Amino acid sequence: MKLLRYGPKGQEKPGLLDAAGTIRDLSSLVPDINGDTLSPGVLAKLASVDPASLPAVTGNPRLGAAVIGMKNLICIGLNYADHAAETGSALPKEPIVFIKSLGALNGPFDDIIIPKNSVKTDWECELAIVIGTTARYVTEEQALDHVAGYAVGNDVSEREWQQERGPTWDKGKGFETFGPLGPYVVTKDEVPDPQNLKMWTDVDGVRQQDGSTKTMIFGVKTLVSYVSQCITLFPGDVIFTGTPPGVGLGKKPTPWFLKAGQQVKVGIEGLGEQVSNTVAYQG
């Protein structure tokens, strides 16, 4: 299934994308796409419903962040061997874990706001793991039992705040609109191998990232297990799993970054695409 949230910001309703690409309203079955909805029992109930029996949503509504109500939005740094190489970084011996502010969550087609005085706003196409059941000290063998599905994430990053303003990465990752998520959550039964998915980013129509989850240093099973040792993962929580090469920071011979008036398209095989326009901060 492809689960989504549609409607004006703050008034989103739960929906399902059927095989023909029509949004079907799920409001009669669940209140939203959140941790409760992503439990195995509720997902099984939704899967048993004929999409044609649900109301079709007309027009082209805005899509909100694909999941809401999470307790944790966790990110993994330098998790692709080829991305680590482009930044001149040593391969990490353990996953680099940091937290992205929940205030960064953004719809997959909403604008990305370039922060005030920023000259180093960057893109990062990432596979997002969506948790379905509480994961606490789980083994790698148990890890996928706790996964509800996957989504496209863009871990937008302000590199000056990330790298030049002190030792913690969180500051460069948590700006408003820096976490586009979606367009939908694809349940794990439709993603047989999360370690073999093509990924891409286009800026103004030019391919910048062209990678694959094959080059992850720490795979989905390892990440869910590892994070669960130090942070309890709750239903609806999301893990951004790192990015392949091709970010602005890694461009040779001169890094370059986003400015207002550009378009960023981020996609992952089988999980859809998100398209964001960049705008200047107004305030």
Side-chain angles (χ1 to χ4, degrees):
M1 290 183 293
K2 294 180 174 66
L3 303 174
L4 53 82
R5 303 173 63 250
Y6 71 94
K9 189 172 294 189
Q11 303 175 43
E12 294 91 346
K13 296 180 180 180
L16 177 152
L17 192 72
D18 70 17
T22 299
I23 296 175
R24 299 285 177 167
D25 181 63
L26 288 175
S27 298
S28 64
L29 300 176
V30 293
D32 210 334
I33 306 302
N34 55 25
D36 292 337
T37 302
L38 296 168
S39 69
V42 176
L43 289 181
K45 176 184 175 182
L46 295 179
S48 70
V49 175
D50 180 3
S53 69
L54 299 169
V57 178
T58 59
N60 186 28
R62 170 191 172 270
L63 298 186
V67 186
I68 199 67
M70 67 279 288
K71 289 182 170 66
N72 296 297
L73 178 53
I74 295 163
C75 297
I76 308 298
L78 294 176
N79 192 35
Y80 282 69
D82 36 9
H83 171 55
E86 77 171 342
T87 62
S89 302
L91 298 185
K93 295 180 180 179
E94 295 189 37
I96 297 170
V97 178
F98 60 94
I99 303 294
K100 197 173 184 80
S101 167
L102 297 181
L105 275 175
N106 207 32
F109 302 103
D110 291 346
D111 292 341
I112 293 171
I113 300 171
I114 304 295
K116 184 177 180 179
N117 301 322
S118 170
V119 293
K120 293 186 178 181
T121 296
D122 207 347
W123 59 88
E124 291 192 10
C125 175
E126 307 212 3
L127 174 68
I129 306 169
V130 183
I131 300 298
T133 60
T134 301
R136 184 185 291 112
Y137 303 118
V138 302
T139 66
E140 291 191 21
E141 292 71 26
Q142 298 167 327
L144 292 186
D145 294 339
H146 298 273
V147 173
Y150 304 93
V152 179
N154 184 358
D155 179 22
V156 185
S157 307
E158 211 296 329
R159 301 300 190 185
E160 180 184 8
W161 277 96
Q162 178 188 355
Q163 298 184 337
E164 302 170 32
R165 303 292 293 268
T168 60
W169 287 11
D170 308 60
K171 292 182 292 185
K173 303 284 190 170
F175 287 93
E176 187 179 358
T177 74
F178 270 29
L181 181 65
Y184 26 72
V185 176
V186 180
T187 50
K188 65 181 177 183
D189 58 292
E190 295 191 10
V191 188
D193 185 3
Q195 304 306 150
N196 188 24
L197 302 174
K198 295 178 182 178
M199 312 169 69
W200 59 90
T201 298
D202 296 343
V203 179
D204 293 337
V206 178
R207 185 62 42 98
Q208 301 297 336
Q209 289 186 282
D210 189 6
S212 170
T213 57
K214 286 182 178 180
T215 66
M216 275 188 184
I217 299 168
F218 306 105
V220 169
K221 293 179 181 180
T222 299
L223 292 176
V224 172
S225 173
Y226 184 91
V227 173
S228 79
Q229 310 303 312
C230 57
I231 299 172
T232 299
L233 295 168
F234 296 97
D237 283 357
V238 172
I239 303 174
F240 280 24
T241 58
T243 197
V247 299
L249 178 68
K251 296 299 180 184
K252 304 291 190 300
T254 305
W256 62 272
F257 302 97
L258 295 170
K259 58 184 184 295
Q262 295 187 286
Q263 185 184 81
V264 182
K265 180 184 290 186
V266 171
I268 299 178
E269 180 182 5
L271 304 183
E273 285 188 323
Q274 48 181 242
V275 181
S276 304
N277 294 319
T278 57
V279 299
Y281 170 76
Q282 300 292 325

